[in-house]
Amino acid sequence: MHPRRLGILRYLALRARTEGPPPSVREIGLEVGLRSSQTVHHHLLRLEEEGYVDHVGRGARTLRLTGKGWEAAGNMALLGRIAAGRGLEAVAFGDEAYSLAAELLSGRSGRRSYLLRVVGQSMVGARIEDGDLLVVEEDEAPADGAVVVALLGGGDEVTVKRLYREGEMVRLRPENGEHEEILVPAEEVRIQGRVLYVVHPPRRSPSGDGS
Amino acid sequence: MHPRRLGILRYLALRARTEGPPPSVREIGLEVGLRSSQTVHHHLLRLEEEGYVDHVGRGARTLRLTGKGWEAAGNMALLGRIAAGRGLEAVAFGDEAYSLAAELLSGRSGRRSYLLRVVGQSMVGARIEDGDLLVVEEDEAPADGAVVVALLGGGDEVTVKRLYREGEMVRLRPENGEHEEILVPAEEVRIQGRVLYVVHPPRRSPSGDGS
DNA sequence: AACCGTACCAAACATTTGTTTGACGCAGGC
DNA sequence: GCCTGCGTCAAACAAATGTTTGGTACGGTT
């Protein structure tokens, strides 16, 4: 991905998560450092050809990120499915999830946020279960005891745990008796964000259906 | 509230819940039946003076509903707090709730939806607990087994239960062993909507905090 | 009756905004 | 060397959009 275009996508994502209209062409230029509206226009055309952006109607500020665009922008980053146990699974999302996130976040501190889908049962004690959506706000220094998204092993591994700092060490505690705590040096873990909300449908009926 | 202005507010709310930018002055006029952009402008000025709308930045399509505006628009309808046991409590909302609802609903079937805050523990079995937010989609005929919002006693009483139809009767089943089923004639209950999502923060840590 | 405020319209105006035109420099391939 | 594609700029154009101006009609007040 062209770095300029990536910058544009990121800015579009930022604006989409912020209250207010999508940016104008010149606003984009101002943001990403392009002095000619034409240049922005040029990149926008490419991005539209390649399916990263969209137009909803005609007129001013009708630009919109597509699903592909959100993905490429990265900072919306349904990073992937969080494995309570191990590993990062295939990224999976839908437009509904995006728009859900977009508004859950609007009006917030300006911090970036995103959605994750949970895989695993290690946090059932915090009402987080397999398949739930998490609304995560980026925050590298949340309070002790917060439920956080942590990156381990240089980013290869993502997990949701409750955070406790202990000097040079970081304790990541699951909330499920069957899972074990992780205790690692602070350098080896990067706190990515804090879980703001858990979103899920009501539990399926014991017998019947309803969904 | 001036009916014209109410119409404008409603349209603004509609657009805010829809993907795409806020409407232009002329688009508003088209919608509410005003042929002069000036007239729309006029009402917009009044609405801004009275604190129903807002401007975020300068330029095109920077109009925004304020909390007061959302409330006046009315179609967002945080009807009230649902008492799992009895009674409808005071309506309570905040900007967060509004914006949350706005996006959770966007892109949906066109049915109206709203948020409710749960009071009571009668549905813990369906992962619905006291204080949770419910995203409810209006639906008078949901499938058997769905978790629904039901109005009893001519609307005086609101409750969340799982729905089962039995001939002329309707069974509303709580999911908490300590609560009793409600079995009433179909005429005495009005199904208001179906619970799509449950939204809540992660459960507070057993010991510490983090929120 | 004269006056005032409100709601509305048509038309014009100024600004913003999307888009087009024309040009420059650079890298890579033929 | 020469051509092509790309990224960039400046400038202009055309469409849209927010805003202003001037005017009409109506109802209530003084």
Side-chain angles (χ1 to χ4, degrees):
Chain A
M1 165 65 62
H2 195 295
R4 261 290 133 71
R5 302 216 244 278
L6 183 58
I8 292 176
L9 288 180
R10 278 203 226 275
Y11 183 53
L12 287 175
L14 172 67
R15 291 291 297 258
R17 282 184 284 107
T18 311
E19 233 175 348
S24 67
V25 173
R26 285 169 181 79
E27 281 176 348
I28 296 172
L30 216 64
E31 176 67 22
V32 303
L34 289 174
R35 272 179 286 192
S36 170
S37 66
Q38 199 287 334
T39 309
V40 179
H41 192 59
H42 164 71
H43 289 300
L44 252 26
L45 284 179
R46 290 285 174 288
L47 286 169
E48 188 164 9
E49 281 173 16
E50 295 161 17
Y52 294 101
V53 302
D54 220 359
H55 271 284
V56 46
R58 237 158 287 173
R61 299 169 188 266
T62 53
L63 211 53
R64 189 182 54 162
L65 280 171
T66 63
K68 188 177 175 185
W70 277 112
E71 184 174 356
N75 52 10
M76 165 59 72
L78 221 175
L79 284 182
R81 292 162 167 270
I82 286 195
R86 298 276 107 160
L88 185 64
E89 294 198 81
V91 173
F93 25 29
D95 282 348
E96 183 187 8
Y98 285 128
S99 68
L100 169 64
E103 269 292 340
L104 276 165
L105 313 177
S106 83
R108 291 203 66 83
S109 52
R111 284 176 167 156
R112 302 187 301 179
S113 306
Y114 51 89
L115 278 184
L116 290 175
R117 190 174 296 278
V118 175
V119 176
Q121 293 284 6
S122 75
M123 291 298 286
V124 292
R127 296 188 70 193
I128 298 173
E129 301 191 11
D130 188 56
D132 289 357
L133 283 177
L134 302 182
V135 180
V136 182
E137 179 182 78
E138 286 191 359
D139 185 350
E140 301 197 358
D144 257 39
V147 175
V148 301
V149 175
L151 303 176
L152 297 171
D156 288 346
E157 196 175 318
V158 186
T159 188
V160 178
K161 295 287 183 294
R162 202 177 286 280
L163 169 75
Y164 299 94
R165 296 186 187 77
E166 302 185 359
E168 299 297 301
M169 303 293 279
V170 166
R171 183 179 303 274
L172 296 173
R173 190 194 297 171
E175 297 210 353
N176 177 337
E178 302 172 21
H179 289 67
E180 289 187 20
E181 287 188 0
I182 302 175
L183 184 63
V184 289
E187 311 88 66
E188 292 182 21
V189 59
R190 190 169 151 251
I191 304 303
Q192 221 286 323
R194 186 170 70 88
V195 175
L196 295 180
Y197 298 106
V198 186
V199 181
H200 57 79
R203 197 191 307 283
R204 294 64 60 199
S205 161
S207 52
D209 176 19
S211 295
Chain B
M1 165 65 61
H2 196 296
R4 261 293 135 69
R5 303 218 241 278
L6 183 58
I8 292 176
L9 288 181
R10 279 204 225 274
Y11 183 53
L12 287 176
L14 172 66
R15 291 290 298 256
R17 283 184 281 106
T18 312
E19 230 176 351
S24 67
V25 173
R26 284 170 181 77
E27 281 176 349
I28 296 172
L30 215 65
E31 176 67 22
V32 302
L34 289 173
R35 271 177 289 192
S36 170
S37 65
Q38 199 286 335
T39 309
V40 180
H41 192 59
H42 162 73
H43 289 300
L44 252 24
L45 284 178
R46 290 284 173 288
L47 286 170
E48 187 163 9
E49 282 172 14
E50 295 161 17
Y52 294 102
V53 302
D54 219 0
H55 271 284
V56 46
R58 238 158 285 172
R61 300 169 188 265
T62 52
L63 211 54
R64 189 182 55 163
L65 280 172
T66 63
K68 189 177 174 185
W70 276 112
E71 187 172 354
N75 52 13
M76 175 53 75
L78 215 175
L79 286 182
R81 291 164 167 266
I82 284 195
R86 298 278 106 159
L88 185 63
E89 294 198 83
V91 173
F93 24 29
D95 282 349
E96 183 189 8
Y98 286 128
S99 66
L100 171 64
E103 269 294 338
L104 278 165
L105 313 177
S106 81
R108 289 205 65 84
S109 51
R111 283 175 168 158
R112 297 192 307 173
S113 306
Y114 51 89
L115 279 183
L116 291 174
R117 191 172 296 277
V118 175
V119 177
Q121 293 284 7
S122 75
M123 290 299 285
V124 293
R127 297 187 68 192
I128 298 173
E129 301 190 13
D130 189 57
D132 289 356
L133 283 178
L134 302 182
V135 180
V136 182
E137 179 181 79
E138 286 189 0
D139 184 352
E140 301 197 358
D144 257 39
V147 175
V148 301
V149 176
L151 303 175
L152 298 171
D156 288 345
E157 197 176 317
V158 187
T159 188
V160 177
K161 293 288 182 293
R162 203 177 285 279
L163 169 75
Y164 299 95
R165 296 186 186 77
E166 302 184 358
E168 300 297 302
M169 304 293 278
V170 166
R171 184 180 302 275
L172 296 173
R173 189 193 299 172
E175 297 211 353
N176 177 337
E178 301 172 22
H179 289 67
E180 289 187 19
E181 287 187 2
I182 303 176
L183 185 61
V184 290
E187 310 88 67
E188 292 182 20
V189 58
R190 190 168 151 248
I191 304 304
Q192 220 288 320
R194 185 169 69 90
V195 175
L196 296 180
Y197 299 106
V198 185
V199 181
H200 57 80
R203 198 192 306 283
R204 294 64 59 199
S205 161
S207 53
D209 179 16
S211 296

